[in-house]
Amino acid sequence: MNPPHLPKTDRTALVLTGGGARAAYQVGVLKAAAQVLPKRAHNPFSIITGTSAGAINAVALGASANNFRLAVKKVEHIWSNLSVDQVYRAGYRDLLYSVFRLLGSLFHRGTGVSKPLSLLDSAPLAKLLERSIDFGDLERRLQSGQLDAIGVTASSYDSGESVTFYQSDLAGSVLLPWQRARRRGVPTRLGVEHLLASSAIPTILPATRIGNSYYGDGALRQVSPISSALHLGAQRVMVVGVSGNPVRPPEVHHENHSPSLAKMVGHVFNSAFIDALENDMDHLTRINELVGMVQNEAPYTSTGALRLVDFLCINPSIEIDQLVARHIDSLPRAMRTVLNITGATPKGGGTSLASYLLFEGGFCRDLIACGYRDAMEQRDMLEQFFEPRIAVSY
């Protein structure tokens, strides 16, 4: 077994947020980053953290950290050829079975004891992850020093905490577990169960048991999505979001009817997957401004635990919900029936919910193209961000 390695002096982190099928957008941004870097560059991020579907992208990248461009191509291939039946079972029989179990749980407490309750069965996703990600490779990348740490965030249904399961080969004194209000870091060896837990959208996909506790989607109680990367030692952070541009005012569509069930659920999902990140970015910006003011006024005065954190955030330039209308018909008929009943359609105003579940290649390819385009439009910023961290293998 290799001895623990020392952390890199300039620790750059990649933070990938959640958002179901929307996470395909992250692949486009990473594809642009791979093009900006030299062809055979190592992974430029010494720390990678992910939440929900972003956690899957994070671990997939980490497992191939020896060649960043190849790693991105692998992840792009998965998303570009994805179909719903690779993520969850969506036939009429499957959905009816789940609905009857949910109804049965109202009258019998033991219905969800042996198998967690959910509308959809994510067994196909477990098989996809087992085929696509080599966790042995991930451990080897950590041992070789090509990666300092990788974290996957899930939400504990027992304690209500946001828990970041992280894996690292650094010496224990360098990287210690942390405990803050409603969030903590737990060292572990990552596996498929952590990815299933982190991406288990509440009520939609089943909770996953890790140890003695059940966990769900990491975005649920994640009040500070960037904090886990900072706890793992990040000095610079690149964040890839899945919401529309937060600076541009949102488009308002007035409707003549009350909000559909899907629109209300989508509103809840947006608050979990999107709002926390935007608030955290605002918070980090204010802290940077405060530290900068102190350093300018008194350059030799210690600011304690506060430090400047260089960060780059890339968000979609389009409203992702607008893409749903072009691709919703690619979903299986049973899923389209459920979405129509709940109002998760352009007419029902609930396309936001549908966008989280639209794991179809055409939709994902459009998101990848959008991410690539948005990142390349900021190529100068990308190059400036990566300049200190370029490393090439020969």
Side-chain angles (χ1 to χ4, degrees):
M1 184 167 177
N2 297 331
H5 66 273
L6 295 175
K8 297 179 177 65
T9 55
D10 179 17
R11 305 177 74 182
T12 302
L14 173 66
V15 176
L16 299 175
T17 60
R22 292 170 174 236
Y25 174 85
Q26 298 169 350
V27 182
V29 174
L30 295 170
K31 183 179 178 180
Q35 186 167 321
V36 167
L37 292 165
K39 187 174 182 179
R40 299 187 65 190
H42 288 316
N43 162 46
F45 305 103
S46 55
I47 298 165
I48 306 177
T49 64
T51 302
S52 192
I56 297 174
N57 288 338
V59 174
L61 287 173
S64 298
N66 57 316
N67 189 320
F68 185 63
R69 185 171 293 193
L70 180 60
V72 173
K73 284 184 177 180
K74 288 180 179 179
V75 180
E76 182 185 10
H77 177 78
I78 295 172
W79 281 99
S80 297
N81 296 279
L82 198 61
S83 60
V84 159
D85 59 8
Q86 294 177 283
V87 180
Y88 54 82
R89 293 173 178 157
Y92 280 110
R93 182 178 297 179
D94 301 306
L95 293 175
L96 285 174
Y97 173 72
S98 296
V99 168
F100 281 126
R101 288 190 76 240
L102 289 170
L103 292 175
S105 68
L106 300 176
F107 305 98
H108 193 283
R109 292 180 57 189
T111 302
V113 172
S114 59
K115 183 179 180 181
L117 295 169
S118 64
L119 178 63
L120 303 173
D121 184 350
S122 62
L125 176 60
K127 294 180 180 179
L128 175 65
L129 295 175
E130 289 171 355
R131 292 195 309 269
S132 304
I133 300 176
D134 189 331
F135 289 89
D137 279 348
L138 176 64
E139 185 171 12
R140 284 186 282 275
R141 305 309 171 211
L142 290 162
Q143 289 177 349
S144 67
Q146 293 167 335
L147 192 64
D148 278 351
I150 187 161
V152 170
T153 300
S155 178
S156 171
Y157 282 115
D158 293 336
S159 67
E161 293 177 306
S162 176
V163 181
T164 298
F165 297 98
Y166 68 89
Q167 185 172 346
S168 175
D169 198 55
L170 296 178
S173 59
V174 176
L175 194 58
L176 298 173
W178 65 87
Q179 177 79 55
R180 298 292 185 272
R182 295 293 180 184
R183 51 191 169 92
R184 60 190 172 98
V186 178
T188 190
R189 180 171 180 174
L190 295 174
V192 169
E193 67 275 15
H194 297 95
L195 300 183
L196 291 174
S198 181
S199 56
I201 301 174
T203 72
I204 305 294
L205 297 176
T208 300
R209 186 169 182 169
I210 300 175
N212 296 321
S213 299
Y214 279 95
Y215 294 84
D217 200 291
L220 284 177
R221 301 296 293 270
Q222 193 178 36
V223 296
S224 183
I226 305 173
S227 65
S228 57
L230 300 180
H231 281 296
L232 292 172
Q235 298 161 335
R236 306 165 67 247
V237 181
M238 177 174 168
V239 183
V240 186
V242 295
S243 68
N245 193 328
V247 178
R248 185 179 59 201
E251 297 182 11
V252 179
H253 302 283
H254 297 287
E255 298 170 353
N256 296 324
H257 55 80
S258 61
S260 63
L261 175 62
K263 187 169 186 177
M264 290 186 287
V265 173
H267 192 69
V268 172
F269 284 2
N270 287 343
S271 68
F273 288 110
I274 296 172
D275 294 355
L277 174 64
E278 294 180 355
N279 291 336
D280 208 19
M281 295 301 299
D282 287 341
H283 181 66
L284 184 57
T285 300
R286 288 195 297 270
I287 291 218
N288 276 347
E289 291 173 349
L290 176 62
V291 174
M293 289 174 59
V294 171
Q295 290 181 347
N296 287 335
E297 293 294 329
Y300 302 106
T301 300
S302 172
T303 55
L306 296 178
R307 68 181 189 274
L308 284 170
V309 178
D310 182 22
F311 69 90
L312 173 65
C313 183
I314 299 179
N315 278 297
S317 59
I318 63 170
E319 291 295 333
I320 292 179
D321 296 351
Q322 295 175 358
L323 289 178
V324 173
R326 301 213 309 254
H327 296 283
I328 197 167
D329 289 340
S330 62
L331 285 168
R333 184 176 297 177
M335 274 302 297
R336 295 204 306 271
T337 300
V338 171
L339 295 178
N340 278 320
I341 291 173
T342 59
T345 60
K347 290 183 179 179
T351 52
S352 185
L353 173 60
S355 71
Y356 290 101
L357 303 174
L358 232 170
F359 293 96
E360 289 292 335
F363 180 65
C364 296
R365 286 191 293 272
D366 277 358
L367 287 176
I368 292 171
C370 178
Y372 178 81
R373 183 173 61 252
D374 289 347
M376 291 306 288
E377 287 177 355
Q378 303 181 57
R379 179 167 186 148
D380 289 345
M381 296 179 65
L382 273 175
E383 290 176 343
Q384 292 174 16
F385 185 83
F386 286 129
E387 186 177 0
R389 293 288 295 117
I390 292 176
V392 184
S393 60
Y394 296 96

